[in-house]
Amino acid sequence: MSLTIYGTPRSRAVRNLWMAHELAIPFVHEPVGFGDDGCRSPGFLAINPNGHIPAIADDGVVIWESLAINLYLARKHGGPLAPADLGEEGRMLAWTLWAATEFEPHAAQAMYHTAFYPPEERDPAKAAQALGAVGAPLAVLDDTLAKGGGHLIGGRFTVADLNVAGCVFYLRFTPQALAGRDHVRAWYAEAITRPAALAAFALRGEVPAPI
Ligand SMILES: N[C@@H](CCC(=O)N[C@@H](CS)C(=O)NCC(=O)O)C(=O)O
């Protein structure tokens, strides 16, 4: 068995490194970086023609999109993070697509315009708009966690929790976004301090903290 995870841990590849540590599976890490020498190099474009990291190659199966990679790894390796039945699988897909479409774009925009872009490129109006936009999905997340006993699906930590928490990570520079969202804050604190998360974020030289 041979799994290669491509992408610097300073990218969304950290989500896949986290997942691989959760599953305790062997892997090779190729920390492909940004730009023409990294994710836009001809060699990497042959793996992901979108020119984005992360990607994986798993016994000849190439997959890109960080959240899809985690769903694939969960299904392949099983265990508590994986769906126990078709109903759980459908809900894990739903939460993952929710993360990618309803939540991540706004959370990322808030991060970009608060901390990520150079100061001269940050637009406070865009940051405020993005923080407004995460309010409704965070209310849904908070309510689901309250009803689910602190997890999204099946009363346990699954790939759905990992995928969503990997996007909530973007709110670390804007903690006001989680004000009053006590279920989200408790759930995120538990997720981001799991041993597998700490191992993945250590590759960035970071100890992830609760928000
Ligand atoms: N939806 C994709 C997004 C991939 C993506 O945009 N990755 C960023 C790094 S986190 C990247 O490759 N940026 C380099 C670039 O756009 O040149 C995923 O989740 O994998």
Side-chain angles (χ1 to χ4, degrees):
M1 192 194 88
S2 160
L3 168 66
T4 303
I5 299 175
Y6 298 92
T8 166
R10 301 211 66 79
S11 72
R12 289 170 173 88
V14 74
R15 300 168 178 175
N16 307 130
L17 295 163
W18 178 1
M19 186 67 182
H21 280 287
E22 289 283 357
L23 295 168
I25 50 174
F27 65 93
V28 173
H29 183 207
E30 294 283 346
V32 174
F34 299 97
D36 291 345
D37 295 333
C39 58
R40 295 187 191 280
S41 67
F44 187 71
L45 287 170
I47 295 166
N48 184 358
N50 299 290
H52 290 156
I53 43 179
I56 63 165
D58 184 35
D59 285 334
V61 176
V62 172
I63 304 177
W64 23 266
E65 286 295 327
S66 58
L67 303 178
I69 290 167
N70 282 348
L71 290 170
Y72 164 83
L73 290 175
R75 267 288 256 116
K76 175 165 179 177
H77 296 281
L81 271 73
D85 54 36
L86 184 60
E88 282 200 357
E89 184 163 13
R91 293 163 66 207
M92 289 176 189
L93 282 166
W95 274 108
T96 296
L97 290 173
W98 176 92
T101 60
E102 303 269 341
F103 183 75
E104 185 184 36
H106 305 305
Q109 190 78 337
M111 179 181 72
Y112 293 152
H113 287 282
T114 306
F116 194 79
Y117 287 158
E120 65 276 12
E121 290 175 29
R122 294 178 199 163
D123 182 340
K126 286 188 178 159
Q129 186 185 35
L131 285 172
V134 292
L138 281 173
V140 172
L141 180 60
D142 201 63
D143 188 52
T144 304
L145 292 168
K147 291 175 178 154
H151 293 102
L152 290 174
I153 295 164
R156 67 190 193 280
F157 185 83
T158 72
V159 64
D161 297 286
L162 196 162
N163 279 349
V164 175
C167 297
V168 171
F169 175 66
Y170 285 173
L171 295 178
R172 66 197 183 281
F173 302 110
T174 54
Q176 67 273 29
L178 295 190
R181 305 295 181 209
D182 293 346
H183 300 285
V184 176
R185 292 178 63 243
W187 159 86
Y188 179 78
E190 183 197 306
I192 209 70
T193 56
R194 289 171 66 86
L198 296 178
F201 281 91
L203 299 169
R204 301 161 61 111
E206 275 178 38
V207 180
I211 298 176

